[in-house]
Amino acid sequence: MIILGNRNVKTLLLDLAQQRAVEDVLSLAVKCLGTARDSALVRIWLVEPDNSCPTCAEQSTCAGRGQCLHLKASYGKSRIDDKCWTCTEASGFYRFPLGSRKVGSIALTHKPLEVARINGSEPWIADPGWIEQEGIVSFAGQPLVCRGETLGVIAVFSRDIFEEGTMELLRMVADHIAYAIANARLFEIADALNQQKELENAHLREELYEARKFTDIIGESPAIKEIREQIRIVDGTEATVLIQGDSGTGKELVAHELHKHSKRKNNPFIKINCAAIPQHLFESEFFGHARGAFTGAINDRMGFFQVAGGGTLFLDEIAEIPLELQGKLLRVIQDGEFRRVGEEKSRFTDVRLIAATNKNLKEAVQEKTFRGDLYYRLQVFPIIMPSLKDREEDIPLLVRHFIGLFCKKNGRRVFDLSGEQMRRLQQYDWPGNIRELQNFVERLVITGRPEQALAYLSICGPADTKEKPFAQPYGVSHKILTETQMRQMEIDNLKAALERTNWLVYGKRGAAALLGIKPTTLISRLKRFDLYKLRPASVSFEYQQDFSGKE
């Protein structure tokens, strides 16, 4: 018997190569082979992990130990009642240990097997009655081998004797099935990964949407109203904007707002931190390079000005650009023309430039570390960012905004600070500006101890008292404290912490924890300021540690 004609075999092999799911490969193979002349039943088993070994009746004959053959596809028709055999979970057929019966032997030895004439009494026959009823005469089985690995077994039961060449034909079909299974598994893995990426991307898009809801500039102070007005004036233009301000004042946020309200809002917004680029790579990073331009340039590469084409290029920390590159930067700003490193031809780009710096560029020009012509070209529309101290009235708005943001991020319950606590935050100098305030609020949310954080802020005081280069007229000058006043402030703070904790020093509810210092440090300060004598008589030593520091 020949299982299929040559034309049908060719069609089957071509169809197998098109399948992207293992189930479709198996179904196609058994149905095509099972409908061939004299074919009674075609089945495919695949080698898969199995955790039912301890309860398996054929455990003693199993050579797989943890792996066995699982029936995955079946097709055939009964000659008695024309019933289709497509079930893959029938008792006695759905699972074979490796080495058990003929099918298990084929999988274990990786060798084909042919039984030219079946008499029905062989011990490997799972259902002798079925063999007799259906007139099964021959059996053929081939391992499904791909790249040296046996994936499973295909078995054919025939009602006639196999003709010459049948096993060779079945071998060819089995090889194509094996490779189609392997490819389909790769497709399934890829599809699963793509679905995972799609879900992750959807999640990221949702997070990005949530994050963008907070990108509006927060504040109602005169300084912030002035910034909004400047953005409104310039947002419909193509003017180059130079944003100046101290570190942490929100220069990048303003750049985003300028792009978001411009005609280029649907095109790229590319942010470059010039301070993070090695000096020898500036030209290549900005303008790109041709293959072979220098050692390691194995491919052509686009620069930032080309990537941002049609959109906005935000150059943060622009004062860090090397002096020798500033002339080329001026040229591309004025004419949109540039050349890649190692290339002779000129290229053109359409980019709106927004620059930012926390340095005084006018002084840099005088010191000859920044080109004057580039400075004046950037200075088309300057925006000077106010420091946080110059917009004290915005601090409560920012604090509540950050509390809501970080409570959601960390799964904490949203809370508010008292009026007194807000006033203390407004009195602090915030040398790190909004970035410092944001980090402080995040710590406050994580610890859940506002008073402790505020006490620590009061003790530490501002970290930087240097005059700021971009001071605005909206600020209020600070009173300078003497050493005696500073010491009295620390004493008052210690007393407040002790009174709140009923003079408990140690433990999670103790004054040391509230102040964010070690108990031994607190005891040392109590001794230094002679504060332990102020302990109320009603407070028992039974629950306190001795001020000598002994446990």
Side-chain angles (χ1 to χ4, degrees):
M1 181 208 85
I2 298 177
I3 299 175
L4 292 168
N6 288 335
R7 185 175 179 181
N8 290 337
V9 169
K10 185 177 180 180
T11 302
L12 171 62
L13 301 185
L14 289 173
D15 289 343
L16 285 173
Q18 304 301 316
Q19 306 309 309
R20 295 174 62 96
V22 173
E23 183 179 354
D24 293 339
V25 170
L26 303 181
S27 177
L28 175 66
V30 296
K31 189 170 184 179
C32 189
L33 297 175
T35 54
R37 176 172 54 89
D38 294 327
S39 178
L41 178 65
V42 178
R43 284 185 163 173
I44 295 178
W45 288 263
L46 295 183
V47 178
E48 290 185 350
D50 198 301
N51 56 8
S52 59
C53 293
T55 60
C56 180
E58 299 186 69
Q59 183 181 7
S60 59
T61 62
C62 178
R65 298 298 177 183
Q67 283 192 321
C68 65
L69 289 164
H70 291 257
L71 181 61
K72 293 296 182 180
S74 173
Y75 193 87
K77 279 190 178 182
S78 172
R79 70 177 183 178
I80 298 172
D81 55 10
D82 216 31
K83 179 182 178 181
C84 275
W85 296 314
T86 57
C87 181
T88 58
E89 296 180 356
S91 177
F93 293 90
Y94 77 97
R95 189 164 60 93
F96 277 116
L98 298 183
S100 175
R101 306 180 190 275
K102 294 297 185 185
V103 173
S105 176
I106 293 170
L108 185 63
T109 62
H110 318 300
K111 295 179 179 179
L113 182 64
E114 179 184 4
V115 180
R117 186 172 292 277
I118 300 172
N119 59 31
S121 61
E122 292 89 344
W124 60 271
I125 299 292
D127 188 351
W130 176 78
I131 295 289
E132 184 179 355
Q133 288 176 2
E134 294 296 331
I136 306 300
V137 174
S138 303
F139 167 87
Q142 287 279 5
L144 303 175
V145 181
C146 178
R147 299 182 183 92
E149 178 186 2
T150 298
L151 306 181
V153 174
I154 182 170
V156 178
F157 293 88
S158 174
R159 293 189 176 96
D160 200 356
I161 297 174
F162 292 126
E163 294 182 0
E164 185 177 352
T166 297
M167 288 299 289
E168 288 75 17
L169 185 62
L170 186 60
R171 174 72 267 152
M172 180 179 65
V173 172
D175 286 342
H176 280 77
I177 292 172
Y179 274 86
I181 290 171
N183 289 337
R185 283 176 172 172
L186 292 176
F187 277 121
E188 289 176 348
I189 292 171
D191 288 343
L193 289 173
N194 286 336
Q195 289 179 16
Q196 182 181 1
K197 286 182 182 290
E198 281 298 317
L199 290 172
E200 290 175 352
N201 288 340
H203 179 66
L204 289 173
R205 284 193 293 269
E206 184 179 349
E207 286 189 342
L208 185 59
Y209 172 75
E210 290 295 321
R212 281 179 174 172
K213 291 198 299 188
F214 298 110
T215 59
D216 292 332
I217 298 174
I218 297 170
E220 295 299 330
S221 63
I224 288 301
K225 287 179 179 178
E226 175 65 21
I227 294 295
R228 288 201 188 100
E229 178 63 18
Q230 289 178 308
I231 292 174
R232 188 193 64 78
I233 291 171
V234 78
D235 63 12
T237 73
E238 291 290 295
T240 301
V241 178
L242 177 62
I243 308 171
Q244 302 176 82
D246 296 316
S247 180
T249 51
K251 297 187 291 295
E252 183 180 346
L253 180 60
V254 170
H256 272 286
E257 289 294 314
L258 288 167
H259 174 73
K260 191 168 70 174
H261 291 91
S262 73
K263 298 174 183 177
R264 301 171 179 264
K265 61 184 177 183
N266 295 321
N267 293 325
F269 175 85
I270 307 296
K271 176 206 167 186
I272 307 302
N273 184 356
C274 299
I277 302 176
Q279 189 159 347
H280 65 285
L281 291 179
F282 262 103
E283 188 171 3
S284 172
E285 292 291 308
F286 274 29
F287 308 125
H289 62 251
R291 186 177 62 170
F294 49 83
T295 303
I298 58 176
N299 293 307
D300 290 348
R301 182 184 183 279
M302 290 194 298
F304 296 136
F305 275 93
Q306 194 170 355
V307 173
T312 303
L313 184 63
F314 174 47
L315 298 182
D316 197 10
E317 306 294 350
I318 195 169
E320 303 301 325
I321 295 178
L323 190 61
E324 58 271 18
L325 185 64
Q326 291 175 17
K328 294 181 179 180
L329 179 61
L330 178 63
R331 183 181 180 188
V332 73
I333 294 174
Q334 289 185 158
D335 306 324
E337 184 180 355
F338 67 95
R339 287 184 181 179
R340 287 181 177 178
V341 178
E343 220 175 44
E344 294 299 324
K345 66 177 181 179
S346 295
R347 296 175 181 266
F348 294 88
T349 186
D350 174 26
V351 168
R352 183 192 188 185
L353 187 70
I354 299 175
T357 182
N358 62 356
K359 295 184 177 179
N360 192 319
L361 290 186
K362 200 167 186 178
E363 290 182 1
V365 170
Q366 294 172 352
E367 295 169 0
K368 301 189 182 303
T369 59
F370 202 84
R371 289 180 62 125
D373 49 3
L374 176 58
Y375 168 68
Y376 294 117
R377 185 64 184 81
L378 294 172
Q379 191 81 348
V380 174
F381 195 92
I383 295 178
I384 299 179
M385 297 299 297
S387 66
L388 186 56
K389 195 56 191 171
D390 294 330
R391 40 183 295 212
E392 281 183 4
E393 54 268 65
D394 292 335
I395 289 178
L397 294 175
L398 290 164
V399 169
R400 292 188 178 100
H401 162 69
F402 290 138
I403 286 176
L405 192 65
F406 292 123
C407 282
K408 182 177 180 180
K409 175 183 175 181
N410 295 286
R412 301 293 173 87
R413 196 172 176 182
V414 178
F415 60 91
D416 197 4
L417 300 183
S418 67
E420 174 59 30
Q421 290 171 331
M422 284 293 188
R423 279 191 293 275
R424 288 161 67 183
L425 290 177
Q426 288 177 290
Q427 291 169 0
Y428 183 67
D429 191 50
W430 299 111
N433 292 295
I434 298 174
R435 186 179 294 116
E436 183 186 4
L437 176 64
Q438 180 178 339
N439 294 338
F440 171 79
V441 174
E442 185 171 13
R443 288 195 302 271
L444 188 149
V445 168
I446 291 170
T447 60
R449 297 175 178 177
E451 196 58 39
Q452 177 183 333
L454 287 163
Y456 180 76
L457 204 63
S458 298
I459 292 172
C460 291
D464 185 9
T465 57
K466 187 172 68 174
E467 184 181 351
K468 299 180 180 180
F470 302 105
Q472 296 294 297
Y474 307 105
V476 179
S477 60
H478 266 289
K479 180 183 177 182
I480 305 300
L481 301 180
T482 65
E483 182 65 26
T484 302
Q485 290 172 322
M486 289 290 292
R487 185 162 51 250
Q488 186 58 49
M489 181 184 290
E490 183 175 4
I491 291 171
D492 293 341
N493 190 62
L494 291 173
K495 288 167 63 177
L498 289 165
E499 288 169 0
R500 173 163 297 195
T501 58
N502 198 25
W503 284 75
L504 181 66
V505 174
Y506 289 79
K508 293 181 179 179
R509 298 182 181 179
L514 183 62
L515 293 166
I517 59 178
K518 294 180 180 179
T520 51
T521 303
L522 175 56
I523 290 171
S524 176
R525 291 180 183 177
L526 295 178
K527 282 184 175 183
R528 184 175 58 181
F529 297 129
D530 235 14
L531 287 178
Y532 69 94
K533 294 179 180 179
L534 301 176
R535 178 181 58 84
S538 59
V539 177
S540 172
F541 272 114
E542 184 179 350
Y543 300 102
Q544 301 292 320
Q545 299 294 338
D546 188 352
F547 284 135
S548 66
K550 297 177 181 178
E551 301 267 343

